[in-house]
Amino acid sequence: MDDDGSQSAAARTAAVVGAGPAGLYALAALLRSEAFDRVDVYEAAPAPYGLVRYGVAPDHPKTRNISRVLAQGLQQRQRVRFLGNVVVGSDLSVDELRAAYDTVIVSTGMLGDRRLGIPGEDLEGSLGASEMVAWYTGHPQARQLAFPDDLRSATVIGAGNVALDIARILAKDPATLRTTSMPRHVVDVLAASTLTDVHLVARRGPAQAKFTSPELHEMGALEGVDLVVHPDDLVLGPADEEAVANDRHSRVTVDVCREWSERPPAGAGRRIHLHFWRRPVRIEGTDRVTGIELETTRSGDRPTLRLPTELVVRAIGYHGTALEGLPFDEPSGTVPSQDGRVVVDGAVVPGVYVTGWLRRGPTGVIATNRGDANEVVASVVADAPTLPARRSDPEAVDRLLAEREVRVVSWDDWLRLEAHEKAAGDAAGGDPIVVHDLKTVIEVIEAAAG
Ligand SMILES: Cc1cc2nc3c(=O)[nH]c(=O)nc-3n(C[C@H](O)[C@H](O)[C@H](O)COP(=O)(O)OP(=O)(O)OC[C@H]3O[C@@H](n4cnc5c(N)ncnc54)[C@H](O)[C@@H]3O)c2cc1C
């Protein structure tokens, strides 16, 4: 400790909670700043990278490869430790971390889904996107899904890329998924499904949809899939015309949808139907989903549409969950903050910061989290010399984890799992195959450690 009571840089420690893009960009910025001697990264999953591993679609390996960049901070072992399979909030509390580290940066993202608030939403066969995505990417906490034997039609609610990902994964030829990172039992369920029709439902029109162009073009090029767009849905009002005239993104989406609506059907085995200007008002069924009612959102327009459907996935946005020890704004699902400094009743909580989706909500692409994390770390670095002198003691947390018998997955453990996944992928002639269940993850790690 320095004479003035503040700590020297060499003694400062930080904990990052959540090893997704935001946490790992924050780690990189902390290391660049040289303001901290040591940074420990806590992660609930037994693997790093957050939604890059357990969100980005398995058939998008180039996007998933950003993990190589994110790994760079974790590889600096003299200053950084990875502690995977540690759930902050149950294995450890935020307060315990605050007691042990000078600075705590929370970047736990958003785990849940927003709800539609309509009857039938809790029926079997009605899911949130996060459940569906966790399943097909192999998240260890995912509920294992089984499709009904009579599955013919699935309905995906939403007009963003997550909705497109889910519609594409459901509709595409499962044989093409056998060279991806998708766990094989998931590919088997998709391959055995009798699904023929996927309906994508958007509350507004094509000019307002948030789909990005590469994803739209990819959908238009899916083999064995016809795209069905009703020309009436593409009639533009004055506000849409203006959007199309002024915004390239709107123009591209409208043009692509027009081209699809004019395509003669090829008689493919599967179809993706795009419904614009519709919102679900009821999910039908007694013990499981059998249909959905879609009301028009354009006045004086068409009657309510009733679709028979056995699966409904709402992809209308992720939503955060509160973490004990931190304030939480329920409507936005975020932790209140100023420049990343966590705020309770207008007062800054010293030494505690938030970044990523938990700070700003579920928006932007992976790279958006880099700017976000850089901003927050600028606050962290500015504050570091002013933090109250405290005896930094990360080993106290190690002792707690040992007492609580938490099986921490270290960076070396992760490298063992990664090598195993790569070998399995190589043997199948494809990408590394995600090991989805925690018991097997630990067995693989322990077998490799010898
Ligand atoms: C389905 C889906 C597909 C996407 N596809 C793309 C894409 O193709 N391209 C693109 O640019 N962006 C994509 N995104 C957006 C991108 O994934 C996000 O911008 C980014 O992951 C947000 O980063 P984050 O670090 O805030 O959250 P996350 O990535 O969610 O990371 C949070 C981390 O915190 C961990 N955590 C949570 N709770 C705890 C706890 N209590 N204790 C310890 N650890 C905890 C989680 O396990 C996770 O690892 C997609 C998002 C989704 C949902």
Side-chain angles (χ1 to χ4, degrees):
M1 197 173 293
D2 294 345
D3 293 346
D4 62 0
S6 66
Q7 284 177 292
S8 65
R12 271 190 218 115
T13 61
V16 172
V17 183
L24 296 180
Y25 283 127
L27 170 66
L30 286 173
L31 294 173
R32 279 195 307 272
S33 79
E34 306 265 336
F36 290 84
D37 180 52
R38 165 168 172 183
V39 187
D40 287 349
V41 179
Y42 291 88
E43 166 55 52
Y49 313 131
L51 286 168
V52 170
R53 178 175 164 95
Y54 296 122
V56 173
D59 59 344
H60 285 174
K62 280 197 189 133
T63 310
R64 294 172 67 91
N65 264 343
I66 188 83
S67 58
R68 292 189 189 161
V69 174
L70 297 175
Q72 286 165 5
L74 291 167
Q75 286 157 352
Q76 298 203 23
R77 294 165 182 231
Q78 318 82 334
R79 296 167 69 197
V80 179
R81 287 195 309 165
F82 174 71
L83 296 97
N85 200 31
V86 179
V87 183
V88 173
S90 56
D91 294 328
L92 279 179
S93 68
V94 172
D95 287 346
E96 284 164 345
L97 288 175
R98 289 186 64 197
Y101 295 86
D102 299 299
T103 292
V104 177
I105 303 180
V106 184
S107 49
T108 48
M110 296 198 158
L111 297 172
D113 294 275
R114 282 174 52 202
R115 292 178 59 85
L116 291 161
I118 59 170
E121 198 168 1
D122 294 318
L123 282 169
E124 180 66 28
S126 162
L127 319 171
S130 71
E131 260 184 286
M132 180 86 190
V133 169
W135 171 66
Y136 72 56
T137 56
H139 194 288
Q141 303 303 330
R143 180 158 73 98
Q144 296 311 311
L145 303 183
F147 292 153
D149 293 341
D150 61 353
L151 177 66
R152 295 278 178 278
S153 147
T155 304
V156 182
I157 316 289
N161 280 345
V162 175
L164 275 193
D165 278 354
I166 292 172
R168 185 184 68 251
I169 294 285
L170 285 170
K172 91 189 279 185
D173 176 1
T176 63
L177 297 170
R178 294 210 179 269
T179 51
T180 71
S181 62
M182 189 180 274
R184 290 306 178 254
H185 72 285
V186 176
V187 185
D188 291 342
V189 171
L190 292 169
S193 113
T194 48
L195 184 74
T196 55
D197 292 86
V198 178
H199 298 269
L200 198 57
V201 179
R203 198 160 41 97
R204 298 202 290 159
Q208 293 85 20
K210 294 196 182 117
F211 311 131
T212 52
S213 312
E215 278 72 17
L216 267 186
H217 288 299
E218 180 184 9
M219 190 140 108
L222 284 181
E223 287 203 15
V225 178
D226 274 341
L227 289 153
V228 185
V229 190
H230 203 286
D232 275 1
D233 282 9
L234 303 177
V235 175
L236 304 183
D240 307 319
E241 296 282 10
E242 200 184 315
V244 168
N246 297 324
D247 179 42
R248 190 181 162 275
H249 173 251
S250 294
R251 198 159 49 244
V252 169
T253 310
V254 170
D255 286 350
V256 168
C257 290
R258 283 215 172 109
E259 190 262 310
W260 289 350
S261 77
E262 287 158 10
R263 272 190 204 176
R270 287 185 174 178
R271 288 163 291 280
I272 297 178
H273 308 251
L274 278 93
H275 304 269
F276 290 104
W277 307 108
R278 293 271 176 195
R279 74 163 159 250
V281 283
R282 172 186 304 280
I283 299 173
E284 298 170 345
T286 41
D287 50 354
R288 65 182 183 102
V289 173
T290 55
I292 189 162
E293 278 180 28
L294 304 171
E295 194 179 73
T296 182
T297 57
R298 282 198 299 202
S299 57
D301 205 359
R302 306 147 299 171
T304 296
L305 177 67
R306 188 192 163 272
L307 294 175
T309 197
E310 296 79 36
L311 179 67
V312 173
V313 186
R314 53 177 195 280
I316 54 169
Y318 276 49
H319 195 84
T321 37
L323 200 56
E324 204 187 315
L326 287 184
F328 189 65
D329 177 57
E330 185 57 49
S332 64
T334 59
V335 169
S337 63
Q338 281 168 10
D339 301 322
R341 299 174 176 96
V342 171
V343 169
V344 178
D345 299 330
V348 166
V349 182
V352 188
Y353 304 81
V354 64
T355 181
W357 273 15
L358 193 64
R359 175 186 178 211
R360 62 172 204 282
T363 56
V365 291
I366 294 166
T368 316
N369 299 293
R370 187 174 50 214
D372 186 312
N374 287 344
E375 260 171 51
V376 175
V377 171
S379 300
V380 169
V381 172
D383 295 350
T386 67
L387 287 177
R390 219 177 10 213
R391 204 175 74 89
S392 172
D393 185 14
E395 277 67 30
V397 176
D398 294 353
R399 289 191 292 275
L400 287 176
L401 290 172
E403 266 165 45
R404 293 170 189 170
E405 298 181 2
V406 179
R407 172 55 169 97
V408 176
V409 171
S410 67
W411 184 246
D412 280 337
D413 288 337
W414 157 248
L415 294 179
R416 293 179 183 112
L417 178 64
E418 191 183 38
H420 173 92
E421 292 184 342
K422 182 170 183 317
D426 287 348
D431 299 331
I433 302 172
V434 169
V435 178
H436 75 285
D437 86 298
L438 187 58
K439 188 165 164 283
T440 312
V441 164
I442 303 298
E443 282 167 8
V444 163
I445 288 170
E446 290 183 350

